[in-house]
Amino acid sequence: MKPNPWIKNVPLYEPGRPLEEVARELGLPDISALVKTASNENELGPSPKAIVAMQQAATSMHRYPDGACFYLKQKLAEKLQVTPEHILFGNGSNEIIEFLGHAFLGPEANMVVSETAFVVYRLVSALFNATCIQVPMQAFTHDLRAMRAAITPQTQMIVVCNPNNPTGTSVAPEQLTNWIATIPADVLIVIDEAYYEMMPIEIRPDLLALIRAGQPNLMILRTFSKAYGLAGLRLGYAIAAPTLITLLNHTRQPFNINAMAQAGALAALDDDEHLTRSYDVNQEGIAFFEKFLTEAGIPFVPTTANFVLMKTGDARTDCKRLLAQGIIARPMQGYGLPEWIRLTVGKPLQNQKMRTALLEITLTAQ
Ligand SMILES: Cc1ncc(COP(=O)(O)O)c(C=O)c1O
């Protein structure tokens, strides 16, 4: 056997342990005493309508799913005011990032991203033995000008994660739109809007307008994993010009979206109430976090998503100490930020628990 030599250099993603195992080790009776705040999920859970639809769909699981996602695509297209031909679904938006690798990356190619952007871009670049050009951020925010300047003749795509995970920052909408107009036509611009529905409404860019107007080299990525509370279903989507969508369709498996995901997402799209509640709970949570972090003198990056990046001192140790109190947080040393941790904003009681634990670990560290 001769595996592709670069494969062993693709970093392995470190999965979290099952919650049941963590609870058992901490001597907790069940997982309800844990606050899982490491993966930017929606603590309100799935939409109740989606739960009912998935329960109903369970009896049809002997059938293969609709490989074209006909109804889901139609409904989403209507909601976004684009055509179904503008949409492609992935097994999570992560899978679409991999499709992009299949279609565009290889040993001669590079992609441009920010240094502290979502890790999966780097992983996919490594998977296809491409070069990932990582541009330093300015004050934890994308330096769009420097990113554009980093483009070379070998650049196939440039990815802007907006809001950015793990920093939580966004770029101003007009700045982003103006910047898109300056990118060479032969470079694909990918804007990852995984947290779009959690962003403050007044700073959401309207990039769909560019897609509707026919921008040929722009792709937006979104997901049902965050505000929709359906991370376990693995469902994300791309919106782009039909020619780009057709191209990526060549890279996917025929049944990449399972039938349960299609049923749940169809119903979730009908539940604006759940989406609004998720948004409101998140906004209240952010206000709570930013107030107590300011009062406690814990440095943090003001967020536009559903998580907060904060500097507690020693990320690994701090996350261990938080875990001892039942709080599963994410240390950021993998992003070159060994003093920083990231916590997902939750429901009020969970936020209170995180506050108490954070105050304890930061006060006793001083
Ligand atoms: C910026 C960003 N993009 C994409 C994803 C992946 O989302 P999905 O669950 O749709 O694969 C995440 C998940 O954390 C994310 O933070």
Side-chain angles (χ1 to χ4, degrees), residues 96-362:
I96 299 174
I97 303 170
E98 195 177 324
F99 293 162
L100 289 169
H102 281 293
F104 292 104
L105 297 180
E108 307 298 321
N110 73 54
M111 72 194 290
V112 175
V113 301
S114 280
E115 210 166 57
T116 319
F118 186 46
V119 67
V120 171
Y121 317 136
R122 264 183 280 151
L123 298 185
V124 168
S125 172
L127 183 60
F128 291 93
N129 202 14
T131 302
C132 189
I133 299 177
Q134 297 179 60
V135 180
M137 297 182 103
Q138 291 281 346
F140 292 102
T141 308
H142 298 294
D143 185 343
L144 292 182
R145 193 183 296 215
M147 288 179 81
R148 188 188 52 216
I151 291 174
T152 73
Q154 287 72 40
T155 301
Q156 287 276 40
M157 61 177 129
I158 186 161
V159 186
V160 178
C161 186
N162 195 57
N164 184 52
N165 178 15
T167 59
T169 51
S170 296
V171 286
E174 331 72 61
Q175 199 193 349
L176 188 58
T177 319
N178 293 340
W179 177 82
I180 286 170
T182 70
I183 300 300
D186 60 351
V187 174
L188 174 64
I189 306 160
V190 179
I191 311 290
D192 186 343
E193 295 190 331
Y195 299 93
Y196 186 80
E197 300 86 355
M198 288 298 201
M199 265 178 120
I201 290 163
E202 63 282 6
I203 60 158
R204 292 180 189 173
D206 182 16
L207 301 182
L208 285 175
L210 297 180
I211 305 257
R212 283 184 213 112
Q215 177 98 25
N217 63 333
L218 174 64
M219 177 170 285
I220 299 169
L221 298 182
R222 293 199 188 156
T223 181
F224 283 85
S225 297
K226 306 300 174 184
Y228 284 95
L230 293 170
L233 284 187
R234 310 305 301 124
L235 185 65
Y237 55 97
I239 315 144
T243 43
L244 261 174
I245 296 296
T246 303
L247 178 78
L248 290 199
N249 254 315
H250 287 283
T251 71
R252 73 173 178 90
Q253 295 275 335
F255 300 116
N256 65 321
I257 307 304
N258 67 72
M260 191 64 88
Q262 294 186 42
L266 255 178
L269 287 175
D270 274 335
D271 198 346
D272 283 341
E273 198 185 317
H274 181 261
L275 206 57
T276 304
R277 207 156 69 85
S278 302
Y279 175 83
D280 290 344
V281 167
N282 185 54
Q283 290 303 311
E284 281 163 31
I286 288 172
F288 173 83
F289 263 93
E290 297 195 340
K291 181 168 185 291
F292 92 74
L293 290 170
T294 304
E295 286 167 1
I298 300 172
F300 67 94
V301 181
T303 186
T304 58
N306 68 340
F307 52 84
V308 187
L309 182 67
M310 60 192 78
K311 189 176 179 185
T312 51
D314 177 351
R316 266 190 203 282
T317 312
D318 295 336
C319 285
K320 275 190 196 143
R321 296 179 70 200
L322 287 173
L323 184 61
Q325 301 192 50
I327 289 163
I328 306 172
R330 178 80 71 179
M332 287 288 121
Q333 73 278 356
Y335 283 93
L337 300 170
E339 298 172 324
W340 296 73
I341 66 172
R342 192 197 66 202
L343 296 188
T344 309
V345 174
K347 293 190 283 193
L349 254 181
Q350 296 172 318
N351 296 339
Q352 290 280 1
K353 273 192 184 176
M354 289 189 257
R355 173 182 182 272
T356 307
L358 272 170
L359 291 181
E360 191 179 314
I361 66 157
T362 47

